[in-house]
Amino acid sequence: MTRHTSDFLRQRSSNLSLRSTAVANASSVSRLSSFVNPSEFESEPAMSDAEKAFIVGDLARCKSLALCDSCYRDIPDRHTDSLAFQLTDDRSSCSSCNVLLSKPEAFTEPFCKFLQESPTIFHAVGYFKDKMASLGYKELPARDDWSGKLEAGGKYFVTRNGTSVIAFTVGKAYKPGNGVAMIAGHIDALTAKLKPVSNKSTKAGYVQLGVAPYAGALNETWWDRDLSIGGRVIVRDDSGKTSSKLVKLDWPIARIPTLAPHFGVGIMGQKNKETEAVPIIGLDNSDISSSDSKPVEPLGPAGSFVSTQPPRLVQLISRELGIKDHSQIVNWELELFDLQPATVGGMDREFIFAGRIDDKLCSWAAFQGLLASEANEDDGVIKLAALFDDEEIGSLLRQGARGNLLPSVIERAVESLCGEKTFGPGLIGQTYARSFLVSADVTHAVNPNFLSRYLDDHAPRLNVGICIAADSNGHMTTDAVSTAILTRVCQLSDCTPQVFQIRNDSRSGGTVGPMLSSAMGVKAIDAGMAQLSMHSIRATCGSLDPGLGVKFFKGFLDKFEKVDAEWQ
């Protein structure tokens, strides 16, 4: 709670006076606008560093918010009026200052809240869109003409399918042909998606749900978990307009039950994902109850979408979205997710235990790094973060990294910014030759119970820093040049790099790096944060790792131009 001491009240009065003066000045400008062209006198007030940090750090939802006098004065009333916070003279304990300084501990709580509140890829993209809008980013619809809509110093974003997003800022000193400092990762995660016809016959009184595994989901770690449902619903209203609405249920409605070991066939039977990993979502004992009881009938006319879905689930989703006519639901993309909240753990709270760490960890940190990056007068490059769908299943769809989304956005942006300079393959080739890609994906932290599975000196630790991932067979983009560049970025950004490579007798995973760097011809490296228990429904990373990721990715975006200039 805010400490209403006499010093605080005097300071607040002083702050309010300063703010009143600012409002009065703004009003005088508004009065001028009635006599002259307003555009000559009025402009959007520049966002202060403190306000930017307040938004980037999600401080409005911070449990223990503290603000120093300087930050408090620089953050507009609309952000703080309804909040309880501590006014402090110690800038080292100021929440806004800690975000500005990229202190890793400042990002632990926001990351955990993000994981809990964005359980599906649709919600994750919605989160990023809302945050970008708060920071003044402008959306560029892919169907629009971008001519004349981009300018040096501008901030923009593009989405595709509601599951991939690219955001970028244009340096104030940008010139056509300058490079792009880009980070690319993925925000899809292992899940179980509802089948097109998810309604199943009741078995022994259990209502079950037809789901299909996405990537490696429905593995052993999905059994006996509290599962809920979320995603997007396609709705056609009374006027005939069709739109997409996001939904998530805040209680567990599904569970995949194991078999007691007493039966002697293993608690997961034969691990058949089609017949033995079918979630239960309710009970229906109408077949053994009174003769008047009848099974729940399908909703909607025969052939309609809702008639192929569990009736009570349709009712639940309709109620969550305020839909009274079930037939307005024309389709949906829903999936199961582990409902247990992300939490810090360990004796000193040095861990984060959570679902969907792969790869909300690097994607969230990369986007935060972009949003927190500097906007200096001499910045000459485009700073970009791209988060893709479908990485876990090969990236082959249009919203995946093998699609044309990233090169298309870069080329259309350069075209819009080229002005009188001739746009064509030469300019694009020059842009790519001056660019650099960080392929950001989580990598394997060393597991103390399986040390023999790791190479000596290639065993990343938690809460240390970014990990450069190498592979001798081209599954990663890392080479000597890109490693030298990134190591130099770490030096300038006070980051500690680690290195990982798989053993010769183990199988390497893949990332979006090779497909993107080969498509554009840009220099690239694979680097990400380390985690334990990859592809488990619940994984572990260090509690400082989200913040260490933000610090590194911000450092890369801010320092790449300087590092690139050091190369002959």
Side-chain angles (χ1 to χ4, degrees), residues 217-500:
L218 298 184
N219 61 32
E220 295 87 341
T221 65
W222 280 70
W223 298 60
D224 291 337
R225 299 295 307 179
D226 295 341
L227 304 174
S228 193
I229 287 179
R232 70 176 171 187
V233 181
I234 309 302
V235 178
R236 183 176 295 121
D237 62 23
D238 294 333
S239 68
K241 297 292 186 181
T242 305
S243 61
S244 175
K245 297 181 181 297
L246 301 188
V247 67
K248 58 181 177 181
L249 303 184
D250 60 3
W251 74 98
I253 73 164
R255 196 172 187 87
I256 303 171
T258 56
L259 185 67
H262 308 71
F263 289 91
V265 294
I267 64 173
M268 287 170 282
Q270 303 301 313
K271 301 181 182 179
N272 188 308
K273 293 184 179 181
E274 180 61 34
T275 62
E276 296 174 326
V278 184
I280 57 174
I281 59 173
L283 293 173
D284 180 2
N285 290 320
S286 58
D287 60 324
I288 61 171
S289 57
S290 66
S291 58
D292 295 334
S293 299
K294 295 181 180 179
V296 179
E297 296 292 330
L299 298 175
S304 66
F305 173 76
V306 292
S307 70
T308 64
Q309 310 303 316
R312 280 190 280 169
L313 179 60
V314 173
Q315 292 170 339
L316 276 177
I317 298 300
S318 298
R319 187 158 59 245
E320 286 292 311
L321 295 177
I323 297 173
K324 296 182 179 179
D325 181 359
H326 305 310
S327 64
Q328 289 185 338
I329 298 177
V330 297
N331 215 307
W332 62 31
E333 289 178 79
L334 300 181
E335 62 189 53
L336 301 180
F337 62 88
D338 179 57
L339 188 64
Q340 185 176 349
T343 185
V344 293
M347 292 186 294
D348 292 319
R349 294 180 171 84
E350 56 264 73
F351 301 119
I352 291 175
F353 306 136
R356 302 172 293 279
I357 285 179
D358 180 9
D359 189 15
K360 299 295 192 294
L361 175 56
C362 290
S363 59
W364 183 85
F367 235 79
Q368 294 289 95
L370 173 66
L371 300 181
S373 63
E374 299 172 3
N376 298 317
E377 295 297 327
D378 59 349
D379 284 345
V381 299
I382 293 174
K383 301 175 181 179
L384 180 149
L387 307 182
F388 293 98
D389 191 4
D390 300 324
E391 188 273 345
E392 296 289 2
I393 57 171
S395 301
L396 290 170
L397 303 181
R398 72 185 186 97
Q399 59 269 20
R402 290 186 193 272
N404 71 337
L405 180 56
L406 181 54
S408 173
V409 168
I410 291 174
E411 290 165 19
R412 292 184 68 181
V414 172
E415 180 183 25
S416 178
L417 291 163
C418 69
E420 298 179 356
K421 193 166 185 175
T422 302
F423 176 78
L427 190 62
I428 292 300
Q430 185 181 30
T431 299
Y432 286 148
R434 295 177 172 181
S435 300
F436 191 94
L437 167 70
V438 175
S439 170
D441 203 348
V442 288
T443 192
H444 302 284
V446 62
N447 187 320
N449 299 326
F450 300 93
L451 289 178
S452 63
R453 296 292 181 178
Y454 296 79
L455 282 175
D456 292 340
D457 302 319
H458 299 78
R461 299 191 180 193
L462 303 180
N463 285 341
V464 173
I466 194 73
C467 181
I468 297 171
D471 184 86
S472 60
N473 293 301
H475 295 109
M476 308 290 172
T477 60
T478 304
D479 59 24
V481 171
S482 60
T483 300
I485 290 173
L486 215 66
T487 301
R488 177 63 173 147
V489 166
C490 288
Q491 291 174 347
L492 295 174
S493 307
D494 191 28
C495 297
T496 302
Q498 304 183 82
V499 64
F500 175 78

Side-chain angles (χ1 to χ4, degrees), residues 25 44 57-58 73 98 143 157 179 190-191 233 242 255 282 315 341 373 421 440 464 487 506 536 547:
N25 290 338
E44 188 74 19
D58 289 331
R73 278 188 279 126
N98 287 339
R143 297 172 64 157
F157 71 93
L190 273 62
T191 187
V233 181
T242 305
R255 196 172 187 87
Q315 292 170 339
S373 63
K421 193 166 185 175
V464 173
T487 301
S506 298
S536 171

Side-chain angles (χ1 to χ4, degrees), residues 501-516:
Q501 181 163 310
I502 205 78
R503 284 169 52 102
N504 293 343
D505 54 3
S506 298
R507 181 178 63 89
S508 175
T511 70
V512 300
M515 60 193 77
L516 290 173

Side-chain angles (χ1 to χ4, degrees), residues 47-49 51-53 55-58 99-100 107 127-137 155-157 166-169 183 363-375 383-385 550 553-554 557-558:
M47 180 177 290
S48 69
D49 288 341
E51 182 183 3
K52 179 179 175 181
I55 296 171
V56 169
D58 289 331
V99 173
L100 278 171
F107 297 93
Y127 165 90
F128 291 126
K129 288 178 64 175
D130 290 344
K131 179 162 280 194
M132 287 186 290
S134 299
L135 290 167
Y137 283 69
K155 301 182 290 187
Y156 309 95
F157 71 93
I166 294 178
F168 62 96
T169 62
I183 308 165
S363 59
W364 183 85
F367 235 79
Q368 294 289 95
L370 173 66
L371 300 181
S373 63
E374 299 172 3
K383 301 175 181 179
L384 180 149
V550 174
F553 291 122
K554 178 183 182 297
L557 294 171
D558 288 339

